[in-house]
Amino acid sequence: MRLPIRLLAPVLLAAGPLLTGCGGPEPLPEAAPAPRPTSARPSALAPSTDAPSTDAPSTARPSSAGPSGPAVAAASLGGPGTACPLPVSFSLPKDWKPNAIENPEDPEFATLTRQGSAFARCEVDAKPAGHVGFLRVWTAEKGPARAALEEFVAADEKASGASYRETTAGALPAVEVTYTVRSELLDEEKEERAFAVSTPKGAVVVHLGGMGTEEHREMLPAYELARTTLKAL
């Protein structure tokens, strides 16, 4: 079933749904997440004022299985009959809930649903699994995966320290980027990452944000599961 998506206050864009379709957009109150019951790990990164660059060193770590180990596949996303029809499919862990983005090309919501030339098509909510963040899927016109990914990152004015690398997504060649974004809510730099592939139906960008760096790293197993199980449809 296609679920509505909610409009988010800008400072919580990385951790909240994008839009709501019924009755127009409604701002949500700004609120920080409740303290997690786990012991805190250092997560603050040194601020950077540099613009995103393929040559700039990144303080973000390359992809890994994450602190909690590899994720176990519990559902599939992207194919016919799933919550979000996409040019690709991949596996999701238990309790990660996907929602389709309705009318992402509507100019009224372009600031939320468009980044560079890519449009948001699906967001997978990690809150039911105990995390504050989303795995989002964006699509763009046909073209090289790296060009789509570079344009995606460059469109985020708060991004810096972008570092790109060649990788694979399933059996497909892919490009991955790690970078940092300045969080106004936390008043610190936080890690984000994304990978992109080129398919016969266009370029696809899969992005992982999070409320902060620690939360981002806790969600890496889901991101890695998506990357390693991805297939073009």
Side-chain angles (χ1 to χ4, degrees), residues 30-108:
E30 299 177 11
R36 296 171 61 88
T38 56
S39 58
R41 292 190 298 273
S43 61
L45 303 176
S48 171
T49 56
D50 297 333
S53 166
T54 57
D55 299 323
S58 173
T59 52
R61 303 184 308 178
S63 293
S64 66
S68 58
V72 177
S76 180
L77 180 67
T82 64
C84 304
L86 300 167
V88 298
S89 67
F90 54 82
S91 296
L92 295 174
K94 182 180 179 181
D95 293 331
W96 283 64
K97 302 301 181 184
N99 298 318
I101 307 296
E102 297 179 357
N103 304 318
E105 298 177 9
D106 187 335
E108 182 179 357

XYZ file of all heavy atoms in Angstrom, residues 30-108:
540
model
N 10.209 20.650 15.802
C 11.592 20.240 15.905
C 11.800 19.563 17.239
O 11.413 20.063 18.281
C 12.517 21.450 15.793
C 12.378 22.176 14.467
C 13.242 23.411 14.417
O 14.089 23.560 15.318
O 13.065 24.207 13.500
N 12.416 18.387 17.194
C 12.672 17.676 18.446
C 13.858 16.776 18.258
O 13.997 16.127 17.235
C 11.448 16.838 18.851
N 14.700 16.725 19.244
C 15.841 15.810 19.216
C 15.385 14.451 19.686
O 14.443 14.325 20.461
C 16.958 16.328 20.132
N 16.049 13.362 19.214
C 15.657 12.026 19.652
C 15.970 11.800 21.115
O 16.872 12.414 21.674
C 16.508 11.106 18.756
C 17.706 11.928 18.435
C 17.189 13.349 18.317
N 15.223 10.901 21.747
C 15.494 10.552 23.142
C 16.830 9.851 23.240
O 17.271 9.199 22.303
C 14.380 9.634 23.668
N 17.525 9.962 24.376
C 18.828 9.299 24.536
C 18.697 7.807 24.327
O 17.770 7.164 24.809
C 19.218 9.631 25.984
C 18.407 10.850 26.326
C 17.133 10.721 25.541
N 19.661 7.243 23.592
C 19.671 5.804 23.356
C 20.208 5.093 24.582
O 21.073 5.599 25.285
C 20.528 5.461 22.141
C 19.970 6.036 20.852
C 20.982 5.850 19.730
N 21.247 4.423 19.524
C 20.535 3.653 18.716
N 19.518 4.158 18.063
N 20.838 2.382 18.551
N 19.744 3.887 24.853
C 20.191 3.175 26.047
C 21.579 2.590 25.919
O 22.049 1.925 26.811
C 19.136 2.061 26.199
C 18.637 1.842 24.826
C 18.658 3.202 24.179
N 22.238 2.745 24.786
C 23.574 2.206 24.594
C 24.607 3.216 25.036
O 24.348 4.408 25.122
C 23.795 1.856 23.115
O 23.556 3.035 22.334
C 22.828 0.774 22.679
N 25.819 2.749 25.282
C 26.889 3.655 25.681
C 27.300 4.497 24.502
O 27.395 4.020 23.375
C 28.085 2.837 26.185
O 28.526 1.952 25.185
N 27.570 5.763 24.748
C 27.881 6.685 23.663
C 29.286 6.427 23.154
O 30.193 6.065 23.883
C 27.764 8.127 24.159
N 29.471 6.639 21.847
C 30.785 6.572 21.232
C 31.090 7.918 20.625
O 30.190 8.604 20.153
C 30.811 5.487 20.135
C 30.683 4.091 20.692
C 30.958 3.088 19.584
N 29.992 3.199 18.512
C 28.846 2.578 18.510
N 28.488 1.822 19.521
N 28.010 2.700 17.502
N 32.377 8.324 20.563
C 32.714 9.619 19.972
C 32.225 9.671 18.542
O 32.436 8.747 17.766
C 34.252 9.634 20.045
C 34.603 8.677 21.134
C 33.543 7.621 21.109
N 31.533 10.766 18.171
C 31.001 10.846 16.821
C 31.187 12.206 16.189
O 30.973 12.342 14.988
C 29.508 10.493 16.818
O 28.810 11.410 17.617
N 31.534 13.236 16.964
C 31.651 14.569 16.388
C 32.844 14.619 15.464
O 33.911 14.098 15.757
C 31.807 15.604 17.511
N 32.660 15.269 14.310
C 33.727 15.418 13.342
C 34.136 16.864 13.280
O 33.341 17.762 13.534
C 33.274 14.936 11.958
C 32.795 13.492 11.913
C 32.298 13.169 10.526
C 33.916 12.551 12.302
N 35.369 17.122 12.907
C 35.838 18.506 12.818
C 35.073 19.237 11.749
O 34.876 18.721 10.649
C 37.331 18.516 12.497
N 34.597 20.464 12.013
C 33.859 21.232 11.019
C 34.714 21.501 9.797
O 35.928 21.632 9.888
C 33.510 22.542 11.746
C 33.658 22.228 13.197
C 34.716 21.189 13.281
N 34.052 21.607 8.658
C 34.746 21.930 7.421
C 33.940 22.951 6.662
O 32.722 22.889 6.620
C 34.922 20.664 6.564
O 35.404 20.987 5.293
N 34.635 23.906 6.049
C 33.952 24.914 5.249
C 34.219 24.716 3.778
O 33.832 25.530 2.945
C 34.412 26.319 5.655
O 35.840 26.400 5.529
C 34.027 26.613 7.105
N 34.920 23.637 3.421
C 35.227 23.383 2.018
C 33.994 22.921 1.274
O 33.139 22.241 1.811
C 36.306 22.293 1.890
C 37.608 22.732 2.524
O 37.835 23.952 2.574
O 38.374 21.853 2.973
N 33.898 23.253 0.009
C 32.816 22.767 -0.850
C 33.079 21.311 -1.191
O 34.218 20.850 -1.151
C 32.745 23.605 -2.126
N 32.030 20.534 -1.549
C 32.220 19.139 -1.918
C 33.203 19.020 -3.059
O 33.154 19.773 -4.025
C 30.803 18.688 -2.345
C 29.903 19.619 -1.619
C 30.632 20.923 -1.545
N 34.109 18.048 -2.986
C 35.136 17.900 -4.008
C 35.532 16.454 -4.101
O 35.604 15.743 -3.104
C 36.358 18.756 -3.657
O 37.472 18.399 -4.454
N 35.833 16.010 -5.311
C 36.287 14.640 -5.490
C 37.705 14.472 -5.001
O 38.175 13.354 -4.828
C 36.222 14.255 -6.982
O 37.024 15.190 -7.728
C 34.804 14.298 -7.481
N 38.434 15.563 -4.771
C 39.821 15.491 -4.343
C 39.984 15.694 -2.852
O 41.035 15.412 -2.291
C 40.651 16.554 -5.076
C 40.632 16.341 -6.581
O 40.652 15.174 -6.998
O 40.593 17.334 -7.306
N 38.951 16.220 -2.185
C 39.081 16.524 -0.763
C 39.042 15.258 0.062
O 38.230 14.374 -0.181
C 37.948 17.450 -0.312
N 39.943 15.122 1.065
C 39.886 13.937 1.940
C 38.630 13.970 2.775
O 38.178 15.026 3.213
C 41.141 14.084 2.804
C 41.432 15.547 2.793
C 40.990 16.053 1.444
N 38.049 12.820 3.031
C 36.814 12.739 3.819
C 37.102 12.140 5.176
O 37.887 11.204 5.306
C 35.784 11.876 3.085
O 34.665 11.668 3.889
N 36.449 12.680 6.207
C 36.555 12.098 7.539
C 35.569 10.961 7.722
O 35.601 10.269 8.735
C 36.291 13.175 8.605
O 35.069 13.822 8.310
C 37.418 14.187 8.640
N 34.651 10.768 6.769
C 33.684 9.678 6.863
C 34.359 8.363 6.505
O 35.219 8.303 5.644
C 32.511 9.930 5.925
N 33.927 7.287 7.167
C 34.538 5.992 6.931
C 33.962 5.344 5.688
O 32.809 5.559 5.333
C 34.286 5.077 8.135
C 34.800 5.637 9.447
C 34.597 4.645 10.562
N 33.218 4.171 10.622
C 32.803 3.269 11.488
N 33.640 2.734 12.333
N 31.537 2.890 11.505
N 34.748 4.471 4.986
C 34.198 3.706 3.875
C 33.109 2.775 4.371
O 32.971 2.541 5.575
C 35.420 2.908 3.353
C 36.612 3.652 3.874
C 36.180 4.263 5.177
N 32.365 2.197 3.422
C 31.293 1.285 3.798
C 31.828 0.117 4.607
O 32.920 -0.377 4.377
C 30.598 0.755 2.542
O 29.929 1.778 1.886
N 31.041 -0.338 5.545
C 31.408 -1.485 6.361
C 30.133 -2.157 6.834
O 29.033 -1.680 6.597
C 32.251 -1.052 7.562
O 31.475 -0.268 8.434
N 30.279 -3.264 7.513
C 29.101 -3.970 8.011
C 28.448 -3.214 9.154
O 27.294 -3.433 9.457
C 29.495 -5.369 8.476
N 29.168 -2.301 9.794
C 28.585 -1.526 10.886
C 28.836 -2.182 12.227
O 29.225 -3.346 12.323
N 28.598 -1.447 13.318
C 28.895 -1.944 14.660
C 28.130 -3.205 15.035
O 28.594 -3.991 15.837
C 28.490 -0.774 15.566
C 28.454 0.424 14.683
C 28.087 -0.076 13.329
N 26.935 -3.373 14.493
C 26.105 -4.507 14.908
C 26.261 -5.722 14.015
O 25.558 -6.706 14.189
C 24.631 -4.071 14.938
O 24.225 -3.605 13.664
N 27.185 -5.690 13.056
C 27.395 -6.823 12.179
C 26.478 -6.792 10.971
O 25.605 -5.933 10.842
N 26.639 -7.725 10.030
C 25.843 -7.739 8.809
C 24.352 -7.877 9.092
O 23.939 -8.573 10.017
C 26.375 -8.969 8.056
C 27.733 -9.214 8.629
C 27.644 -8.801 10.061
N 23.545 -7.202 8.279
C 22.090 -7.298 8.410
C 21.576 -8.544 7.699
O 22.159 -9.001 6.708
C 21.431 -6.053 7.832
N 20.487 -9.083 8.190
C 19.845 -10.256 7.596
C 18.643 -9.800 6.773
O 17.810 -9.024 7.246
C 19.400 -11.242 8.694
C 18.659 -12.436 8.077
C 20.592 -11.704 9.504
N 18.565 -10.276 5.550
C 17.465 -9.894 4.658
C 16.140 -10.428 5.188
O 16.024 -11.596 5.545
C 17.717 -10.416 3.259
N 15.133 -9.547 5.237
C 13.801 -9.950 5.695
C 12.717 -9.582 4.700
O 11.587 -10.055 4.813
C 13.490 -9.309 7.045
N 13.026 -8.715 3.730
C 12.035 -8.286 2.741
C 12.773 -7.775 1.508
O 13.988 -7.539 1.539
C 11.142 -7.185 3.314
N 12.018 -7.619 0.431
C 12.582 -7.096 -0.811
C 11.849 -5.816 -1.192
O 10.660 -5.652 -0.911
C 12.443 -8.125 -1.938
O 12.991 -7.630 -3.149
N 12.568 -4.899 -1.830
C 12.005 -3.616 -2.238
C 12.359 -3.328 -3.682
O 13.457 -3.650 -4.135
C 12.554 -2.491 -1.351
C 12.054 -1.076 -1.655
C 10.567 -0.954 -1.333
C 12.842 -0.045 -0.846
N 11.420 -2.724 -4.413
C 11.702 -2.264 -5.765
C 10.976 -3.001 -6.855
O 10.687 -2.434 -7.911
N 10.681 -4.262 -6.643
C 10.024 -5.058 -7.656
C 8.522 -4.873 -7.675
O 7.951 -4.167 -6.838
N 7.827 -5.514 -8.631
C 6.368 -5.433 -8.692
C 5.722 -5.918 -7.397
O 6.163 -6.899 -6.797
C 6.026 -6.379 -9.861
C 7.268 -6.435 -10.678
C 8.403 -6.331 -9.712
N 4.719 -5.183 -6.943
C 4.010 -5.563 -5.740
C 4.648 -5.086 -4.453
O 4.071 -5.289 -3.378
N 5.815 -4.443 -4.524
C 6.436 -3.900 -3.319
C 5.973 -2.461 -3.113
O 5.322 -1.874 -3.968
C 7.970 -3.948 -3.408
O 8.420 -3.094 -4.469
C 8.454 -5.367 -3.672
N 6.335 -1.881 -1.982
C 5.859 -0.540 -1.635
C 6.341 0.525 -2.614
O 5.663 1.527 -2.824
C 6.303 -0.172 -0.219
N 7.503 0.308 -3.219
C 8.095 1.311 -4.113
C 8.568 0.652 -5.404
O 9.635 0.020 -5.410
C 9.281 2.001 -3.448
S 8.942 2.788 -1.866
N 7.835 0.770 -6.497
C 8.335 0.289 -7.785
C 9.541 1.136 -8.202
O 9.459 2.358 -8.266
C 7.148 0.501 -8.733
C 5.953 0.635 -7.837
C 6.455 1.275 -6.585
N 10.661 0.483 -8.481
C 11.913 1.176 -8.773
C 12.628 0.525 -9.959
O 12.278 -0.591 -10.349
C 12.831 1.128 -7.546
C 12.327 1.771 -6.246
C 13.214 1.360 -5.079
C 12.266 3.278 -6.396
N 13.635 1.189 -10.512
C 14.439 0.554 -11.576
C 15.343 -0.556 -11.049
O 15.962 -1.266 -11.828
C 15.280 1.722 -12.120
C 14.604 2.959 -11.665
C 13.968 2.613 -10.356
N 15.436 -0.677 -9.722
C 16.262 -1.700 -9.087
C 15.482 -2.354 -7.961
O 14.452 -1.837 -7.512
C 17.572 -1.103 -8.525
C 18.423 -0.504 -9.635
C 17.274 -0.060 -7.445
N 15.983 -3.478 -7.498
C 15.439 -4.106 -6.298
C 16.596 -4.412 -5.357
O 17.746 -4.550 -5.781
C 14.677 -5.395 -6.627
O 15.567 -6.388 -7.117
N 16.294 -4.495 -4.060
C 17.303 -4.886 -3.083
C 16.600 -5.354 -1.818
O 15.387 -5.159 -1.639
C 18.277 -3.739 -2.777
C 17.641 -2.440 -2.357
C 17.244 -2.227 -1.037
C 17.444 -1.426 -3.282
C 16.673 -1.024 -0.648
C 16.864 -0.215 -2.904
C 16.486 -0.013 -1.589
N 17.366 -5.958 -0.935
C 16.805 -6.515 0.301
C 16.824 -5.499 1.423
O 17.665 -4.598 1.467
C 17.600 -7.758 0.718
O 17.476 -8.785 -0.246
N 15.889 -5.670 2.353
C 15.792 -4.835 3.542
C 15.839 -5.713 4.790
O 15.365 -6.846 4.781
C 14.473 -4.057 3.558
C 14.249 -3.010 2.475
C 12.839 -2.461 2.585
C 15.290 -1.894 2.593
N 16.365 -5.168 5.904
C 16.327 -5.917 7.164
C 14.930 -5.889 7.778
O 14.053 -5.132 7.339
C 17.325 -5.155 8.058
C 18.002 -4.158 7.190
C 17.092 -3.907 6.036
N 14.753 -6.642 8.812
C 13.483 -6.687 9.535
C 13.148 -5.309 10.121
O 14.015 -4.607 10.634
C 13.583 -7.716 10.666
C 12.293 -7.893 11.459
C 12.473 -8.918 12.564
C 11.217 -9.087 13.388
N 11.388 -10.062 14.497
N 11.889 -4.936 9.998
C 11.307 -3.735 10.599
C 11.717 -2.427 9.926
O 11.368 -1.350 10.425
C 11.627 -3.646 12.102
C 10.953 -4.746 12.896
O 9.874 -5.210 12.467
O 11.493 -5.148 13.940
N 12.408 -2.461 8.810
C 12.646 -1.253 8.030
C 11.451 -1.081 7.091
O 11.182 -1.947 6.259
C 13.952 -1.362 7.250
C 15.172 -1.140 8.102
C 15.585 -1.919 9.145
C 16.113 -0.070 7.986
N 16.735 -1.403 9.681
C 17.083 -0.270 8.996
C 16.242 1.017 7.124
C 18.163 0.598 9.173
C 17.314 1.877 7.299
C 18.264 1.663 8.310
N 10.721 0.039 7.240
C 9.432 0.200 6.579
C 9.507 1.165 5.390
O 9.731 2.367 5.571
C 8.395 0.714 7.583
C 8.210 -0.194 8.793
C 7.763 -1.598 8.389
C 7.558 -2.477 9.611
N 7.210 -3.874 9.228
N 9.310 0.674 4.171
C 9.387 1.537 2.985
C 8.074 2.263 2.697
O 6.988 1.710 2.897
C 9.711 0.550 1.861
C 9.084 -0.736 2.298
C 9.170 -0.758 3.807
N 8.183 3.502 2.244
C 7.045 4.303 1.804
C 7.386 4.947 0.465
O 8.474 5.510 0.308
C 6.724 5.416 2.816
C 6.324 4.884 4.173
O 5.578 3.920 4.270
N 6.827 5.508 5.222
N 6.455 4.901 -0.463
C 6.666 5.555 -1.753
C 6.488 7.063 -1.610
O 5.631 7.532 -0.861
C 5.683 5.004 -2.786
N 7.308 7.825 -2.321
C 7.183 9.280 -2.357
C 6.168 9.643 -3.446
O 6.361 9.319 -4.608
C 8.530 9.957 -2.688
C 9.625 9.470 -1.746
C 8.388 11.474 -2.643
C 9.420 9.830 -0.317
N 5.100 10.307 -3.058
C 4.046 10.649 -4.007
C 4.352 11.967 -4.715
O 4.731 12.954 -4.090
C 2.700 10.742 -3.282
C 2.255 9.426 -2.656
C 0.938 9.562 -1.924
O 0.408 10.689 -1.860
O 0.433 8.543 -1.424
N 4.207 11.949 -6.022
C 4.376 13.149 -6.851
C 5.684 13.893 -6.579
O 5.687 15.103 -6.310
C 3.195 14.113 -6.647
C 1.862 13.462 -6.936
O 1.718 12.718 -7.906
N 0.876 13.715 -6.084
N 6.834 13.222 -6.649
C 8.096 13.889 -6.332
C 8.473 14.981 -7.321
O 9.289 15.855 -6.991
C 9.116 12.743 -6.370
C 8.509 11.734 -7.278
C 7.031 11.811 -7.041
N 7.893 14.959 -8.512
C 8.241 15.961 -9.522
C 7.344 17.194 -9.456
O 7.469 18.099 -10.274
C 8.191 15.330 -10.911
C 9.210 14.196 -11.070
C 9.129 13.518 -12.421
O 8.416 14.018 -13.300
O 9.789 12.475 -12.606
N 6.443 17.257 -8.471
C 5.603 18.431 -8.283
C 6.483 19.621 -7.905
O 7.187 19.579 -6.885
C 4.588 18.157 -7.165
C 3.555 19.271 -7.011
O 3.849 20.420 -7.381
O 2.457 18.985 -6.496
N 6.480 20.705 -8.706
C 7.351 21.855 -8.413
C 7.138 22.444 -7.021
O 8.055 23.032 -6.452
C 6.970 22.867 -9.501
C 6.382 22.058 -10.604
C 5.685 20.905 -9.930
N 5.940 22.296 -6.464
C 5.646 22.857 -5.150
C 6.540 22.261 -4.062
O 6.842 22.909 -3.060
C 4.174 22.617 -4.801
C 3.751 23.217 -3.469
C 2.281 22.978 -3.161
O 1.570 22.393 -4.010
O 1.847 23.386 -2.065
